[in-house]
Amino acid sequence: ADDDIRTTDIPERIQMRAAGHAESLRPLSDDEVGEEATWIVSQLHKRHMRTKELRSRDDEADGAELFKHAEFLSERFLAGVVEVLKHMSHDFYEVPYIYRHCRELFVTGENDDEGDESAVREWLTMDDLWSLYDHEQQFRGFLASRRHVLNLIRRLSGDSGDTAAISHSDYVYGSEVVLSANCVEDVSDVVEWLQARYGREMRGWAATQQTKRAQSGVGAWEQAERDGTDRLVARMGISARQVGENTLERSTHVVEDSSSDALPLEAARELVGARFATAESALRAGVATFAAQLAVDPYVRRHVRTYCEAHARVVVRATDRGLREITDAEHPAFAFKFLRQKPVAEFSGSAQFLAISRAVDDGLLRLAFSLTDEYRFDGKNDDAVFATDAERSAMVIARQLEKHVRSFAVHDAADAWNTVRYDAVLQAARAMLPLVWRETAQRLRAQAAEYVGDMCRRALQTRIDVQPPRPNARVIVVAGGGFDASSRGALRVVY
């Protein structure tokens, strides 16, 4: 490994960061660098606006402000970001080298009123360059995930010699979702959707062990075909994909049940037989199938994830052990022993979530995410309050999705089908929220760890980035024993 590092004409730090992944050492093309710049600037702008909002509400907010000189709509700033990323992604230059020897990329002179370019503007600081360095690595991971899923879709279409399994509409839909993804989670949603849609075909492939684990079980569509509930799902009047497209607010798929007079139980009675003993059980299975299809639709998940990112709150309660041990104000967990509905966005620029996670791991605290503003804990039965709050959060998501599955027809059957579809979106919300909360917790931990690492880097830089001492006295005479400073002679220095 050491010989490979020495023979490869790439800085060692970058090679070690790649951790053996060849994709991380591939020079990006100009088109990829342009896409990378767009992706990173959008991420940074969102974080910058959130930080700016927090600082306006809390003048004592700690942490250094990144991109404080940035103008995200300025051509000079964007050009500087593109050129810096090109040096990082294509030429593999390190941040210290870029900051010291490539300053022309992000430092420009601005003409004053008399046309003099004496005013110099630094669009990016050293801290900003390190932030770009980290985001560049994240983009490479996102790019690799997206390429893997696109290859998976092409293989389902038969491009690799396998029998074509995916329909043309699903091929176009899956490719569109992947290409419009903004994060790794959006790409992972497509993998789960493909597994639910074409699990039978994918299980027949000779794949890696990791893919085999992801392909275990029966997908929602395959199970619906086995049970016959796909016929009942078709009577819902709208598909999971159409609901997902409606959440983008660029499509207006309407529920098609205005001409149907059959009540849901009457439609479910057609499935009574070997699989279902009663129409009620068949209807429950049909609702569960539609909910499963909604829960794996990539656009529905993206909508839920975006809403939760903007509205989620963190609730912390002390366990019985925590109540006994967290009694002193000096205890690390005392400050957030009973944290009440703190918005997720307010954890930006702090390490508090890491401290909370550690206390949770130690069994001192319980952590939950919520979409409500109410704090109903009374110290008597926290389990029941947590369960009630989880159900209320699912109802918040269900109300967000209900408008996309509701029919405005005026007859009894339409009202009954609206109730059935609401039950489906409520079940889908219950299934999606635990996944979204796990992703949110991982993101907050990574964000807090990044903050701690950045603070450590700043402290270390402050300690080592100093000039050597410059004494005023000068040596004027060196005498006695010549210049031999060994034990045989003596060296006398006169100032």
Side-chain angles (χ1 to χ4, degrees), residues 185 188-189 192 295-296 301 304-305 308-309 312-314 344 353 357 360 367-371 428-447:
E185 289 79 10
S188 300
D189 291 341
E192 295 191 34
V296 297
R301 282 194 179 183
V304 173
R305 187 179 291 113
C308 290
E309 183 178 354
R313 299 170 181 270
V314 173
V344 168
F353 197 82
S357 299
V360 171
L367 167 69
F369 293 93
S370 174
L371 292 174
R430 293 170 183 158
M432 285 185 287
L433 280 181
L435 172 65
V436 173
W437 296 149
R438 284 195 298 271
E439 294 173 351
T440 303
Q442 293 173 0
R443 176 171 58 84
L444 291 178
R445 278 194 293 268
Q447 181 177 289

Side-chain angles (χ1 to χ4, degrees), residues 18 38 43 51 68 77 98 109 140 165 185 330 343 346 361 407:
T38 302
Q43 300 281 330
T51 303
K68 56 185 177 181
F77 169 73
I98 295 176
R140 284 181 177 271
E185 289 79 10
E330 299 298 325
E346 293 186 7
D361 294 339
S407 170

Side-chain angles (χ1 to χ4, degrees), residues 84-147:
V84 167
L85 289 174
K86 186 178 295 184
H87 280 63
M88 291 181 180
S89 305
H90 188 272
D91 301 326
F92 297 109
Y93 289 169
E94 293 186 289
V95 169
Y97 180 85
I98 295 176
Y99 186 75
R100 298 297 181 186
H101 303 288
C102 304
R103 294 180 60 81
E104 70 279 0
L105 302 177
F106 54 88
V107 176
T108 58
E110 295 188 349
N111 296 335
D112 56 16
D113 296 336
E114 299 180 358
D116 184 14
E117 294 188 359
S118 58
V120 177
R121 177 161 186 176
E122 185 180 61
W123 295 91
L124 299 170
T125 64
M126 173 72 87
D127 295 330
D128 300 338
L129 294 180
W130 281 115
S131 181
L132 291 178
Y133 179 82
D134 293 335
H135 280 82
E136 193 271 339
Q137 180 69 6
Q138 296 173 15
F139 178 79
R140 284 181 177 271
F142 167 72
L143 203 62
S145 299
R146 190 178 68 181
R147 184 180 297 107

